[in-house]
Amino acid sequence: MLKSTVATLGCAFLMVMAAAVAVVLAITSDANRLEAERQRDRVEAAIESQVRLRELRFQSLAAAGELQNSFSGPSPLITLQAAFVRLGSRFLEFDGAYVVSASGMVFAGIEGDAPAGQAGYDGLKHFSPSLPGAVNAAKPPLQKLSDAHGGPGSSSWTLTHDGFETVSIMVMDVKPHSGSLVAQLLGPIKIVGYRRVSDAMLADLSERYRVANVRIVRDMPADPLSRRALPAADGTIKAWMTWSPDRPGDAMLRQFVWALLGVGLLFAAIFAFVVHRLRGAAHQIAIREGQIQRLAGQDELSLLPNRRTFDIRLDQALAQLDRSGSGLAVLLIDLDRFKAVNDTYGHTAGDELIRQVAQRLSKVVRSGDTVARIGGDEFGIIQTHGHLPAGCAALGERILESLTEPFIIMGVATTIGCSIGIALAPQDATDREDLLRLADTALYQSKNGGRNRYSFFEAQMNRSLALKRMVEDDLRRAIADDQLVLHYQPQVSVDGATIVGVEALVRWNHPVHGMVPPSEFIGIAEERGLIVPLSEWVLRQACTEAKRWEGIRLAVNVSPIQFRHKDFVANVIRILAETGFDPTRLELELTEGVVVDDADAAEAAMMDLRAHGVGLALDDFGTGYSSLIYLRRFAFDKIKIDRSFLEYMETTGESAILVHSIAHLGRALGLRVCAEGVETAEQHRFLQAIGCHELQGFLFSKGVPAHEIDRLLALNKPFAKVLAAA
């Protein structure tokens, strides 16, 4: 018994190693073949691109009509030749070009930069008997090019070798004007161009299309995937275009050799261990094996496969991708409001909910798919059947529909939801760890998008998630270590003569990721709870730097989250006291959404700020609710016209009418009116004419460091030159 078992294990070991070697060889051979096919396609695409480029040269020449017009004059041939030479720059893609009749009569020609005639064209005929005027115009025929609609076009071409050199020839029909003498006597005319295929051209093709060692050879290459026949004038093949295809399979094979050696050593060690232990522990091993597999592969609460089994099955499914050519999907499911059920009804109710969720998930998947409990309130599904991604979307809809139905927990109807993240293989990844990480990223997106939904992984999610993690970790450090900087954009009087205020704009020059724009990290800071310390840093730094600019108002933007903070007003007053900044020079810019969410609390906070002398401005006016009730109820000192009104504004268009109305409304209510996004002199004159008080935009200055504001304030009429030039 022992000998037969050992022999069986030895044979199995040899078979496994042989199978592994065969699989590795098959994979590497297939990889080499696929790469050779891709490189062959790139060579064909390169030739097609060059042919189409030359066809476009001829078409542009014909469309210009200068050649056709030459036939209408009193001396058409002289005029045509002169025009042909004059248009020589159109033939930079050719070594020579001729205008000929259907019978091969040359009307005009050019070889390089010099005129050419009938003799030059006759010498070209030995490359292809299918050229106009050749003796045998049918063997071998020129290849007809299709037009933009897929039908037969007006151009033909061939790539031929006469035993000494390779030439690309193109012929295109050109219709002369119907009333010309040439059209009446000789019928249609043709443009014939040729280009010798040189070593430099082949080297350029190799470099541009990443195909190694493209060359012309006389002996036929053995590999049909790395050669292209070049027919001679008589139809025989005297030369071939060939190249050296990359062989990624060979590199893979070198890597697999070490893996196979490691696997072989591992199997040998296992084999020796089994032989050593088999004599005295065969029976006990059989008993324990059943127990271990049952406990290790199944979740005791839900009776579903556990994380370990899920990983194993996913590895197995991924290993089959290359062989089957199909795909699979991984769905990660996280229960929404599960913690609320646990906290409200206890852990017993939570366990019962897990069991019912497991039963429902098992019913919505197809046979052959895997449902597992990953841990806690998270489940995973491996979908190997169905059309991807449509099948994934359908499964996601079924899961959402099933899990949003009420659960009866301890006699009480309980409603939860779920968020689903989906990643596809091989489109997104082919490694288990990577695939699960991407599905988790998509799950995170579903949670942030409002929950109770499914999301497919998209490439930009990685950038978004990495940025959010960077903000959470690095922004806190940047605030503490003063790694942020402030720029200031001037707010000028309507005549452009003086600076009346500056708006503080935060900038973050990250040491690794470079300059991170505020549009990317402000929103994430709000989401991660860092907006309050960030806003306090901006306000403190701005007050410290702007204190030296006597008589200049300082505008600082306020986040809605920061404004709704219970200590917001107290923090503003404290920072003003610590920095010694004059409260009457501070102007806080609020958006309309700030006052809409909780009007009563907003009104109380604004009245408290006004009592301390702080000014308030309504930012981005016109893009939100823009209710007159809010302008009348809340104590604003200024309204700012949003830049979107000026971006595509015409002085007589609808945007201009709206801007004029806003400015008139502000003056009527006794408010200062500031227009953002002023970039042109026309906008400046228009805003000055309608009565705006202040202007802000790139016409005057972008956001600049504090020392640049010092320089501008030291000048008399700092923007006079800019306005004069505009």
Side-chain angles (χ1 to χ4, degrees):
M1 181 68 179
L2 179 61
K3 292 182 179 180
S4 63
T5 302
V6 171
T8 302
L9 289 175
C11 291
F13 168 73
L14 293 177
M15 291 177 63
V16 169
M17 291 302 299
V21 171
V23 168
V24 169
L25 292 177
I27 291 174
T28 56
S29 176
D30 194 49
N32 287 334
R33 179 183 59 80
L34 291 176
E35 182 59 24
E37 290 177 352
R38 283 194 289 267
Q39 292 201 348
R40 180 192 60 191
D41 293 341
R42 285 204 294 270
V43 170
E44 292 294 338
I47 295 174
E48 174 75 10
S49 175
Q50 294 296 319
V51 169
R52 289 297 183 184
L53 177 61
R54 293 165 190 170
E55 181 188 25
L56 185 60
R57 293 287 191 184
F58 275 176
Q59 288 176 348
S60 64
L61 180 64
E66 296 193 40
L67 296 182
Q68 296 92 322
N69 294 335
S70 301
F71 286 108
S72 302
S75 301
L77 296 182
I78 298 175
T79 306
L80 178 61
Q81 181 63 49
F84 211 58
V85 173
R86 185 175 66 256
L87 296 173
S89 60
R90 301 283 186 96
F91 302 100
L92 295 179
E93 298 293 331
F94 298 90
D95 293 329
Y98 296 87
V99 178
V100 302
S101 67
S103 61
M105 179 185 296
V106 176
F107 297 137
I110 185 171
E111 290 279 349
D113 296 327
Q118 189 70 45
Y121 177 74
D122 291 339
L124 187 62
K125 293 179 183 177
H126 84 278
F127 283 100
S128 175
S130 299
L131 293 176
V135 177
N136 185 358
K139 180 183 179 182
L142 297 177
Q143 180 180 342
K144 197 73 171 178
L145 295 176
S146 61
D147 59 13
H149 304 288
S154 60
S155 303
S156 305
W157 82 285
T158 185
L159 186 63
T160 181
H161 188 87
D162 66 346
F164 298 95
E165 60 182 352
T166 304
V167 175
S168 173
I169 301 175
M170 176 170 287
V171 179
M172 190 185 78
D173 298 331
V174 178
K175 294 182 180 180
H177 296 313
S178 59
S180 68
L181 181 61
V182 172
Q184 298 173 10
L185 297 178
L186 301 178
I189 62 174
K190 301 175 182 292
I191 303 180
V192 180
Y194 75 92
R195 177 74 180 270
R196 294 181 179 87
V197 178
S198 63
D199 292 340
M201 291 176 59
L202 296 177
D204 179 70
L205 186 146
S206 295
E207 180 178 359
R208 183 177 301 178
Y209 291 91
R210 295 179 296 173
V211 179
N213 195 20
V214 180
R215 61 198 183 278
I216 306 296
V217 298
R218 298 285 185 89
D219 299 323
M220 183 177 70
D223 185 5
L225 294 178
S226 60
R227 70 180 186 228
R228 189 182 195 278
L230 302 176
D234 57 1
T236 61
I237 306 299
K238 297 181 179 179
W240 287 263
M241 178 183 291
T242 185
W243 52 91
S244 300
D246 292 337
R247 299 182 62 83
D250 294 350
M252 294 169 58
L253 183 60
R254 288 191 294 270
Q255 296 176 354
F256 278 133
V257 166
W258 294 105
L260 288 174
L261 289 176
V263 171
L265 293 175
L266 177 62
F267 270 83
I270 294 174
F271 179 77
F273 175 78
V274 170
V275 172
H276 177 71
R277 297 283 296 175
L278 187 60
R279 185 183 298 273
H283 180 65
Q284 295 181 3
I285 289 175
I287 295 176
R288 293 177 181 177
E289 183 180 11
Q291 295 175 344
I292 291 173
Q293 288 189 1
R294 182 179 62 83
L295 295 175
Q298 187 181 65
D299 176 66
E300 294 184 358
L301 177 60
S302 65
L303 302 181
L304 293 174
N306 60 13
R307 177 62 181 264
R308 177 177 177 273
T309 304
F310 182 85
D311 289 346
I312 293 173
R313 294 185 182 179
L314 181 55
D315 284 336
Q316 294 172 345
L318 290 172
Q320 296 295 324
L321 288 182
D322 290 340
R323 303 175 189 175
S324 63
S326 60
L328 63 84
V330 172
L331 292 81
L332 294 184
I333 306 165
D334 190 83
L335 302 183
D336 299 333
R337 296 184 294 278
F338 175 78
K339 185 177 183 299
V341 174
N342 246 351
D343 294 343
T344 303
Y345 302 106
H347 292 287
T348 302
D351 293 345
E352 177 60 22
L353 178 59
I354 290 294
R355 283 190 286 268
Q356 293 190 26
V357 169
Q359 294 171 3
R360 293 191 185 184
L361 289 177
S362 299
K363 293 178 181 179
V364 299
V365 300
R366 300 180 184 273
S367 176
D369 294 343
T370 297
V371 182
R373 184 186 180 204
I374 305 299
D377 61 342
E378 186 174 357
F379 296 81
I381 295 177
I382 304 172
Q383 186 184 21
T384 56
H385 298 79
H387 299 286
L388 305 176
C392 302
L395 178 58
E397 293 289 352
R398 294 198 302 271
I399 293 172
L400 291 175
E401 182 180 0
S402 176
L403 297 189
T404 51
E405 291 290 330
F407 293 85
I408 305 302
I409 307 296
M410 301 178 66
V412 179
T414 303
T415 301
I416 63 170
C418 69
S419 301
I420 307 172
I422 306 174
L424 305 178
Q427 294 93 319
D428 298 329
T430 56
D431 178 75
R432 171 172 54 86
E433 295 294 336
D434 291 340
L435 200 61
L436 290 175
R437 177 177 57 82
L438 299 183
D440 191 65
T441 300
L443 175 62
Y444 184 86
Q445 179 67 23
S446 294
K447 286 182 170 294
N448 284 346
R451 300 178 181 266
N452 204 34
R453 54 179 292 180
Y454 62 88
S455 297
F456 286 89
F457 171 77
E458 298 176 357
Q460 63 267 26
M461 291 181 183
N462 270 340
R463 160 71 174 164
S464 176
L465 183 60
L467 185 60
K468 289 179 180 180
R469 290 173 178 169
M470 177 195 70
V471 169
E472 188 172 9
D473 297 331
D474 295 356
L475 184 56
R476 184 178 287 106
R477 188 181 305 110
I479 296 171
D481 298 341
D482 286 334
Q483 295 177 2
L484 304 174
V485 295
L486 290 182
H487 286 187
Y488 301 87
Q489 187 173 29
Q491 296 174 344
V492 303
S493 59
V494 71
D495 59 2
T498 58
I499 298 175
V500 297
V502 292
E503 180 179 358
L505 306 170
V506 64
R507 297 290 185 266
W508 183 12
N509 190 8
H510 193 277
V512 176
H513 300 277
M515 188 64 70
V516 182
S519 60
E520 292 190 10
F521 71 84
I522 292 296
I524 302 174
E526 292 179 340
E527 177 185 327
R528 298 289 179 153
L530 296 175
I531 192 63
V532 172
L534 172 62
S535 301
E536 289 186 11
W537 183 93
V538 171
L539 181 60
R540 177 177 285 102
Q541 188 70 15
C543 290
T544 301
E545 292 182 345
K547 184 178 179 180
R548 63 180 183 266
W549 302 326
E550 292 292 335
I552 302 299
R553 287 191 301 273
L554 171 64
V556 178
N557 290 283
V558 176
S559 163
I561 296 177
Q562 178 192 10
F563 186 82
R564 289 192 291 269
H565 194 275
K566 59 183 180 65
D567 296 325
F568 168 67
V569 176
N571 289 337
V572 172
I573 302 306
R574 174 175 52 81
I575 291 174
L576 289 173
E578 291 175 356
T579 59
F581 191 81
D582 183 4
T584 61
R585 291 174 52 203
L586 178 62
E587 192 173 75
L588 300 180
E589 295 187 359
L590 312 175
T591 60
E592 299 173 19
V594 170
V595 298
V596 170
D597 292 340
D598 190 345
D600 293 334
E603 184 178 21
M606 294 170 68
M607 294 300 294
D608 198 0
L609 290 170
R610 288 292 300 271
H612 287 84
V614 177
L616 300 172
L618 182 58
D619 198 9
D620 299 335
F621 183 79
T623 60
Y625 299 91
S626 304
S627 173
L628 299 181
I629 296 176
Y630 296 123
L631 286 179
R632 185 179 63 181
R633 177 178 178 180
F634 299 102
F636 289 106
D637 301 285
K638 180 170 73 174
I639 57 176
K640 299 187 71 174
I641 302 174
D642 187 72
R643 67 180 65 249
S644 61
F645 288 103
L646 301 181
E647 189 172 5
Y648 302 106
M649 184 189 71
E650 298 179 0
T651 55
T652 58
E654 294 179 356
S655 294
I657 296 173
L658 290 174
V659 172
H660 187 280
S661 300
I662 294 172
H664 182 74
L665 174 65
R667 294 197 313 272
L669 294 176
L671 306 177
R672 299 195 318 278
V673 180
C674 177
E676 294 181 290
V678 182
E679 297 182 0
T680 66
E682 290 78 9
Q683 293 173 346
H684 174 213
R685 289 190 291 268
F686 172 78
L687 295 169
Q688 187 175 18
I690 65 175
C692 283
H693 301 91
E694 301 168 9
L695 305 176
Q696 180 178 347
F698 285 177
L699 177 63
F700 306 100
S701 174
K702 63 180 181 179
V704 295
H707 64 82
E708 180 64 16
I709 297 296
D710 292 334
R711 187 189 67 83
L712 292 174
L713 290 174
L715 299 176
N716 184 27
K717 296 183 178 181
F719 307 114
K721 292 183 179 179
V722 174
L723 296 178

